[in-house]
Amino acid sequence: MLRIRGVHRRFGDVHALRGVSFDVAAGSMVALVGRSGSGKTTLLNVVGGLDRPDEGTVEVDGVDVTGLTEDGLSRLRRERVAYVFQTFGLIPVLSAAENVGAPLRLARTPAADREKRVSMLLELVGLAGHADQKPGELSGGQQQRVAIARALAASPRLLIADEPTGQLDAETGRSVMALLRAVVESEGVTALVSTHDPVMMALADRVIRISDGQVDG
Ligand SMILES: Nc1ncnc2c1ncn2[C@@H]1O[C@H](COP(=O)(O)OP(=O)(O)OP(=O)(O)O)[C@@H](O)[C@H]1O
Ligand SMILES: [Mg+2]
């Protein structure tokens, strides 16, 4: 599903990724762990096509992301890869249902299909009763559940989450992690999740450790 080879990324004098290589099997959930500044966000951005490596290759679902044009990268982000951010990234003026449906609107999914998929996803993340509430009327954990539902809306192949529980208390973080684990199974998606949470590491199929821009072991 994911094939990463010899990836380097430099920001001026900072050599953020120094030859990162690993593979991820389809349908698995990988926890990416490392100290602050070790290169986790940089790596996730390169894998998801938000940023380009200076050297090396990234293949997502058989597509060499590093060879894509800007248009190709936008398509990749629209069709194959979805992001969940630490800060949720929901649109404040839209309801939970409208936020979840936004990627489907972009994909021009017919309204009836969209509504069906949105209801199913809100149900899946345990928010069926909160469809009409705006992000500001939801708790942090509920907002992150909406963000997960939105990420899944367009049926991505790869779900990337950068410290998705970083803003949540331990208990809420755990329930969001358990939810992520469950949706990876039910939606058959591959997930790459950076985290500092030992519980997340225990839930993952595999833990990849990164330090100073290199994968350990
Ligand atoms: N756009 C940028 N410009 C300059 N330096 C950057 C940029 N993005 C990242 N860096 C540097 O690259 C290194 C890796 O940063 P990165 O954000 O990937 O770490 P991280 O593991 O995600 O840390 P954290 O756990 O704090 O989120 C750091 O030294 C950082 O300062
Ligand atoms: Mg980071």
Side-chain angles (χ1 to χ4, degrees):
M1 168 67 210
L2 247 189
R3 189 182 149 88
I4 298 165
R5 288 292 176 275
V7 165
H8 287 260
R9 182 71 172 106
R10 297 177 189 81
F11 301 102
D13 290 343
V14 179
H15 199 162
L17 299 177
R18 309 168 178 244
V20 172
S21 303
F22 61 89
D23 293 326
V24 177
S28 62
M29 179 160 181
V30 172
L32 181 64
V33 178
R35 287 179 35 199
S36 178
S38 57
K40 302 182 296 297
T41 298
T42 305
L43 178 60
L44 294 179
N45 289 345
V46 164
V47 171
L50 294 178
D51 186 23
R52 289 179 190 274
D54 295 309
E55 272 175 63
T57 56
V58 175
E59 268 178 39
V60 177
D61 211 13
V63 175
D64 180 3
V65 175
T66 42
L68 294 176
T69 60
E70 280 307 312
D71 281 356
L73 281 180
S74 311
R75 247 200 30 237
L76 176 89
R77 293 194 297 262
R78 216 166 47 233
E79 293 173 2
R80 287 178 203 248
V81 182
Y83 265 85
V84 172
F85 298 98
Q86 185 172 356
T87 51
F88 321 139
L90 298 172
I91 301 169
V93 297
L94 299 183
S95 69
E98 288 164 343
N99 267 286
V100 175
L104 298 173
R105 255 177 202 284
L106 269 180
R108 300 183 195 285
T109 305
D113 295 347
R114 203 166 67 219
E115 273 166 35
K116 237 186 270 167
R117 177 95 178 133
V118 168
S119 305
M120 189 283 271
L121 287 167
L122 285 175
E123 181 87 46
L124 183 70
V125 300
L127 291 176
H130 299 269
D132 298 327
Q133 283 167 253
K134 301 208 165 83
E137 300 161 353
L138 295 168
S139 71
Q142 289 170 335
Q143 289 181 59
Q144 195 57 302
R145 286 166 185 269
V146 172
I148 290 168
R150 180 183 58 179
L152 294 169
S155 304
R157 305 286 303 126
L158 176 66
L159 184 71
I160 294 179
D162 195 3
E163 296 189 44
T165 62
Q167 300 234 334
L168 305 174
D169 64 74
E171 186 70 30
T172 309
R174 267 158 215 176
S175 76
V176 166
M177 289 300 187
L179 170 69
L180 260 180
R181 171 77 257 184
V183 299
V184 163
E185 313 252 310
S186 70
E187 292 281 304
V189 56
T190 305
L192 188 55
V193 184
S194 77
T195 184
H196 292 285
D197 188 341
V199 174
M200 182 72 228
M201 298 176 218
L203 282 173
D205 297 307
R206 189 170 145 212
V207 175
I208 292 178
R209 289 175 198 281
I210 181 169
S211 60
D212 280 331
Q214 286 181 310
V215 170
D216 299 343

